[in-house]
Amino acid sequence: MDAPHVSRALVPDPYGSHEPPIYQTSTFTFDSAAQAAALFAGEKPGFVYTRLGNPTVAAWEARLAALEAVHPAPPVPLVPSVPSALAFSSGMGAISATLLALAGQGDHVVATEPLYGGTAELLGDLLPHLGIRVTTVRAGDADGLRRAVSLPRTVALFVETPANPTLDVVDLRLAAALAQEVGARLVVDNTFATPVFQRPLQLGADIVVHSSTKYLGGHGTVIGGAVVTTDTAWLNDRLLTLRKLLGAVPSPFDAWLLYQGSKTLELRVRRASETALRLAQWLAAQPAVSWVRYPGLPDDPGHEVASRQMSGYGAMVAFGIKGGMEAGARFLDALRVAKRAVSLGCTDTLVEHPATMTHAHLPKAEREAAGICDDLIRVSVGLEDLELIQSDFEQALGAARLAAAVDR
Ligand code: PLP
C-alpha cells in the first residue's frame, strides 16, 4: 500500500449532513479495477483503507489545520493562511512520527526541558537507541540553547511551552531564530497553550504538535494527537508515510469525538484560564503553599515572554506544598471535588503529583535538574466554579497540614 497521498481529500456528503458522518469502516470499495489503480496511483482523490485515510479523519484534520491558521500582520491580506494537519492516534504517536520523520542515524536533536514524561523518555531512550544524538537544555537558558543547536547535524529543536509540569515558558521567536540559523526545524508542543492562546507557526515555528487527548477534545473521552505545519509537501509525503507505517492512525469515531469537542475549545479554555488565574492568585496567598507557577502571575519567571507570545495564559497551574512529597500525598487524598488523575484539559479539575506519577520514571536527579521537585503538585483547572475548587483545595491543604502536625 504505497499511496500515502491519495486518501486525504474532503468529500461532500451526499445528504448534506450538517456534522461530518462517522465513516466507521476499515476499507472502501472500488467502482472498478481501473478506479482502484487510479486511486493508488494518486491520479484521483478518494479513500482506499482507513489506515491511509478516512473521510471523518480528514474532516477532523481540516478543522485542526484551521485552528492553527496563521494570520498575516496587516497591511498584508487579512485572510489567514491555513496550514496542513495530520491526526494521530495519540500525542506520542504524533511526536514520535514527527521526530522520526525529521531525524535519522547520526543526526542531532535539541530539546528544552522539562517535557511531558513520555516525550522525555522518547528523547532520552528511543532516539539515542536509533543512533540519534539528543541534547536537552533547561527552558529559559538561551545561551545553552544557542550552543546546543550549533552542534553538528542539528535537524530539529523540540520545545514544549508552557512546559509540563513546571509551566516554564520558552521564547518561541528566539527558538525559531536559533533553529533557522542552523537550518533545523522548530517543533512546538502546543498542548498546554492550545491554538486559542498561542500560534507557534505565526511566531516562526515549522511544526506544531498536540496531544489532542487534552484541550482539543476537551472531555477526557479520547486519546489523540496531531501535527500541523505549513510544509504541506513534507506532511503529505514523509510524515504521512510514517503514520502509515507506524500505524498510529486515529479511529473514525475518535476523530469525530475530537471534531465535536473542538467546537467548544475556545469557550472552555477561556473560562478555565480565568479560573486558573484566580486560583493561582489564591494559592500564592496560602501559608501551606511554598511557591506557585502560573505564567499569568506578574512575578512568574515566564510572565514577560508569555505575555509577548500568548494571548492568554492557559488553565494549568503548578504549586509547591510545604512538607514535600508526604504533604502532597495527603493533599491529594483529601480532595473531594477535584479528581486525582493524570491527563489534563478536560471539564473536571484534575490534580496529580508528577514526581510519583507522570514523571516518575525519570531518575530523581534528572527530574530535579528539569525543575520537577518532589513538592510539585500539578493542577489542570476545569470548568467548575472557582469557589468550589478553592474550598476543596482549602480543606485539602488544611487536612494535609493537620496530618503533618499529628505525625509530629
Ligand atoms: N505532550 C504533552 C504536553 C502532554 O502532556 C502529553 C500527555 O500528557 C503528551 C504530549 C502525550 O500525549 P498522549 O497521551 O495523547 O499520547
Side-chain angles (χ1 to χ4, degrees):
M1 258 170 230
D2 192 22
H5 52 294
V6 296
S7 307
R8 307 193 47 243
L10 279 177
V11 281
D13 176 65
Y15 302 107
S17 172
H18 168 213
E19 298 299 338
I22 306 171
Y23 287 89
Q24 193 67 38
T25 182
S26 51
T27 198
F28 298 81
T29 56
F30 308 123
D31 294 339
S32 64
Q35 189 222 5
L39 285 171
F40 274 85
E43 290 160 12
K44 280 194 175 161
F47 296 90
V48 298
Y49 184 63
T50 285
R51 180 160 51 78
L52 308 185
N54 173 287
T56 314
V57 177
W60 167 227
E61 286 169 339
R63 191 169 176 85
L64 260 173
L67 285 172
E68 289 284 358
V70 180
H71 296 265
V76 246
L78 287 168
V79 186
S81 105
V82 176
S84 299
L86 259 194
F88 285 78
S89 55
S90 67
M92 282 316 299
I95 293 167
S96 303
T98 298
L99 289 174
L100 292 174
L102 294 176
Q105 192 177 18
D107 286 337
H108 179 233
V109 171
V110 178
T112 52
E113 59 179 4
L115 293 164
Y116 164 63
T119 312
E121 200 175 343
L122 173 77
L123 289 159
D125 293 345
L126 184 65
L127 295 194
H129 178 72
L130 299 174
I132 300 164
R133 292 172 300 121
V134 175
T135 303
T136 50
V137 179
R138 190 77 166 82
D141 178 3
D143 291 337
L145 206 54
R146 190 170 283 111
R147 275 195 303 277
V149 294
S150 59
L151 291 172
R153 292 186 61 174
T154 303
V155 291
L157 168 56
F158 188 95
V159 165
E160 206 178 276
T161 183
N164 185 355
T166 58
L167 281 304
D168 279 309
V169 173
V170 178
D171 185 335
L172 287 178
R173 284 193 185 86
L174 175 71
L178 293 178
Q180 202 177 8
E181 262 171 40
V182 298
R185 306 282 191 104
L186 174 62
V187 185
V188 178
D189 186 330
N190 205 24
T191 300
F192 270 35
T194 84
V196 174
F197 293 138
Q198 183 169 267
R199 298 281 170 92
L201 298 177
Q202 192 140 351
L203 299 165
D206 300 287
I207 298 163
V208 171
V209 293
H210 280 281
S211 167
S212 49
T213 312
K214 313 293 165 22
Y215 293 101
L216 298 185
H219 295 77
T221 51
V222 183
I223 298 288
V227 179
V228 191
T229 177
T230 46
D231 190 346
T232 303
W234 174 81
L235 181 126
N236 281 327
D237 181 10
R238 187 93 187 106
L239 190 67
L240 190 53
T241 300
L242 269 169
R243 187 182 73 171
K244 178 187 75 167
L245 298 179
L246 297 174
V249 64
S251 78
F253 183 56
D254 282 359
W256 184 85
L257 284 171
L258 291 164
Y259 182 103
Q260 296 301 332
S262 72
K263 290 191 164 190
T264 53
L265 173 68
E266 181 157 357
L267 285 173
R268 286 185 283 102
V269 298
R270 287 202 188 286
R271 154 80 190 223
S273 78
E274 277 166 25
T275 312
L277 172 62
R278 289 163 64 201
L279 184 71
Q281 287 164 337
W282 177 82
L283 279 168
Q286 300 312 302
V289 169
S290 39
W291 53 267
V292 179
R293 289 297 307 269
Y294 180 70
L297 294 177
D299 59 352
D300 188 90
H303 182 67
E304 195 215 319
V305 176
S307 302
R308 266 191 273 128
Q309 67 191 24
M310 299 175 78
S311 58
Y313 301 104
M316 298 299 296
V317 178
F319 70 93
I321 187 160
K322 286 186 186 156
M325 187 122 52
E326 274 174 40
R330 288 187 190 116
F331 171 78
L332 284 174
D333 287 347
L335 289 169
R336 292 184 198 146
V337 174
K339 311 285 180 242
R340 286 170 290 277
V342 296
S343 199
L344 56 113
C346 66
T347 53
D348 295 339
T349 295
L350 306 182
V351 183
E352 70 120 358
H353 179 239
T356 55
M357 299 177 190
T358 44
H359 296 72
H361 61 280
L362 297 176
K364 189 173 161 75
E366 216 174 284
R367 221 169 44 225
E368 287 185 348
I372 309 165
C373 299
D374 283 351
D375 63 343
L376 191 161
I377 306 278
R378 190 191 78 180
V379 185
S380 166
V381 177
L383 301 183
E384 307 92 337
D385 285 343
L386 169 73
E387 292 68 27
L388 194 62
I389 308 171
Q390 208 169 285
S391 59
D392 191 27
F393 276 31
E394 191 164 24
Q395 64 80 24
L397 285 173
R401 221 179 17 209
L402 206 65
V406 170
D407 283 356
R408 275 199 298 273

